[in-house]
Amino acid sequence: MMRIDIATLFPEMCDRFLTESIIGRAAKRGYIETHCHQIRDYTLNKQKQTDDYPYGGGCGMVMNAQPIYDCCQEIIRQVQEQGRPRPHIVFMTAAGARYNEEHAKRLASYDSLLLVCGHYEGMDERVIEALADEEISIGDYVLTGGELASLVVADSVLRLQPGVLAEAKGYQEESHWNGLLEYPQYTRPEVWEGRAVPPVLLSGHHANIDAWRAEQSVERTKNRRPDLYEAWLKKEGKG
Ligand code: SAM
């Protein structure tokens, strides 16, 4: 059963998300385990300060290495105490590798992950060098903190774990699993605001439905994401 730990200055923010909905239900049923940790608890100064001015000047504050390091060491100890291997450690940074479904599939195969969130101007580079197995960015934009990024990674990885979704088909037929975007989806009523559901979906003819969906999936990808389409053609040996 996979375990994910998040080290952050805002554990309540992360916990709130991880205890709700599909992920929260799966955790309550024992299919996954999540823990959020307060980096501030590991400061050694009276003021419980976790950041300081950047060497060399510049705006904003930089998170100190020591509380992050000590927090991660304690998490590693707790994980290993359960008889698990050392967690795979991922630092959330705007300068990391850009995240996609292939990363999610790979990260989903680890026994446990430790996701580390920065804030302010970021983290002292030396703690990243000392601990990170990899750095991940969730996209080419800058967030105020790593919390949302860590939740994006946790959510996309945990939904691939057995027992979280009702069946594996739930994620294997979705966008990005095989390199394509998903076909359009419809539910009741048959006609809404003058817009009818494509008749093939009401035909009950499963082979025709599958063929229509496959065609829509390819068309959508070609029109909306030519970059993904080209990569898919190559993978299929059609490029
Ligand atoms: N000064 C940093 C830079 O220019 O790369 C940005 C720091 S950002 C304001 C504060 C924190 O938010 C980072 O330490 C990181 O943990 C997180 N963060 C910001 N953008 C992110 C992204 N695209 N992906 C993952 N984490 C991000």
Side-chain angles (χ1 to χ4, degrees), residues 92-95 116-123 136-147 149:
M92 310 314 308
T93 69
V116 186
C117 307
H119 226 85
Y120 315 118
E121 273 311 300
M123 298 167 265
I136 283 177
S137 160
I138 60 161
D140 294 344
Y141 41 81
V142 177
L143 303 163
T144 56
E147 288 68 29

Side-chain angles (χ1 to χ4, degrees), residues 73-91:
Q73 289 302 336
E74 173 55 18
I75 295 168
I76 294 167
R77 194 195 63 72
Q78 288 176 16
V79 169
Q80 290 182 329
E81 199 176 52
Q82 284 186 332
R84 294 172 182 268
R86 183 182 191 276
H88 184 72
I89 304 179
V90 182
F91 274 62

Side-chain angles (χ1 to χ4, degrees), residues 7 9 38-45 48-51 63-74 127 131:
L9 289 173
Q38 173 56 271
I39 292 170
R40 198 176 298 282
D41 290 346
Y42 295 85
T43 51
L44 299 175
N45 58 75
K48 294 210 161 285
Q49 194 181 332
T50 55
D51 55 358
M63 287 175 71
N64 301 106
Q66 173 272 317
I68 299 174
Y69 186 82
D70 288 355
C71 179
C72 290
Q73 289 302 336
E74 173 55 18
V127 71
L131 286 176

Side-chain angles (χ1 to χ4, degrees), residues 24 94 175:
S175 297

